[in-house]
Amino acid sequence: MLLDGEEWRRFFDAFEHEAWRFEAQPTYIMPKERENVARFLRGENMPDGHNARWHERVRGYIASGKRIGRVRIVRRPLTDYQRYQFAWGIPGNVAAGEDIRVLDVTQEDYGLPLCGRDWWMFDRIRIAHLNFRPDGTQINRKAYEGDPAPYREWQQIALEHAVPFEEYVKGLDV
């Protein structure tokens, strides 16, 4: 089942305990972010209220006793988009309550599926695939109807080898 617009929002918000993302694309081309990425690359200051809608949603999940997190996969050197995320995106998400960790796969991939698809896992049973073109343009989001066991295993591997965002960025010049 394709998950677009309100269908995606309903699917996402239906989680009861935990939403967790495996975020592996080196670059995302998102129309809503295009101008902010350009501002970042020009060395401008982050605009007030950057990513405020997401922060509000995260705070709401946390306030209701839910958990939300992700592991961000990277290879060095970081892409311009990853530098943007690390400087402008992720710190605000963490401050809002999202548990974000980084897994550097420059030397080893740990057997994780790293190409063409990110995914969200909800309550360790519902999976949504986020499918991308090689340039980072999202193709679609689809509900996965198969066995969630491999996803739980990949989550465990990713969490086992990832480090908290704040630890990873210490000493990084983003």
Side-chain angles (χ1 to χ4, degrees):
M1 163 177 61
L2 283 175
L3 300 169
D4 289 321
E6 276 305 308
E7 186 65 32
W8 169 238
R9 179 74 182 247
R10 281 191 297 276
F11 187 89
F12 192 105
D13 286 343
F15 78 96
E16 295 179 16
H17 305 288
E18 179 187 45
W20 188 84
R21 182 171 176 176
F22 183 81
E23 189 172 43
Q25 301 307 304
T27 298
Y28 298 92
I29 296 179
M30 308 291 286
K32 293 180 190 177
E33 290 182 325
R34 187 167 287 149
E35 181 56 32
N36 281 329
V37 172
R39 286 178 181 167
F40 169 76
L41 294 174
R42 290 190 303 261
E44 296 178 18
N45 291 329
M46 181 173 61
D48 290 337
H50 181 265
N51 217 11
R53 289 182 61 205
W54 177 248
H55 299 158
E56 183 179 320
R57 285 181 72 191
V58 169
R59 284 190 293 273
Y61 299 138
I62 301 303
S64 69
K66 298 176 181 181
R67 296 180 313 275
I68 186 161
R70 68 183 75 203
V71 166
R72 179 62 172 108
I73 306 295
V74 299
R75 274 191 200 344
R76 284 171 290 176
L78 297 179
T79 65
D80 286 344
Y81 185 86
Q82 289 167 335
R83 292 185 321 99
Y84 158 75
Q85 276 190 316
F86 281 28
W88 284 20
I90 294 175
N93 295 1
V94 170
E98 190 174 354
D99 177 21
I100 300 180
R101 298 168 185 266
V102 179
L103 178 57
D104 192 320
V105 296
T106 304
Q107 302 298 322
E108 182 178 349
D109 69 10
Y110 303 99
L112 294 168
L114 300 177
C115 296
R117 175 181 296 149
D118 289 11
W119 43 274
W120 279 96
M121 180 166 53
F122 303 96
D123 299 323
R124 299 181 49 80
I125 55 170
R126 289 184 312 115
I127 311 295
H129 288 167
L130 287 69
N131 299 302
F132 295 88
R133 291 188 180 95
D135 71 354
T137 303
Q138 189 173 50
I139 300 167
N140 59 33
R141 291 179 294 258
K142 288 185 178 179
Y144 172 71
E145 303 295 332
D147 182 3
Y151 294 85
R152 289 192 294 262
E153 183 178 330
W154 293 327
Q155 178 192 35
Q156 180 180 345
I157 292 167
L159 287 169
E160 189 176 299
H161 297 285
V163 297
F165 172 73
E166 297 88 349
E167 183 179 325
Y168 187 79
V169 296
K170 283 181 187 171
L172 268 185
D173 181 27
V174 292

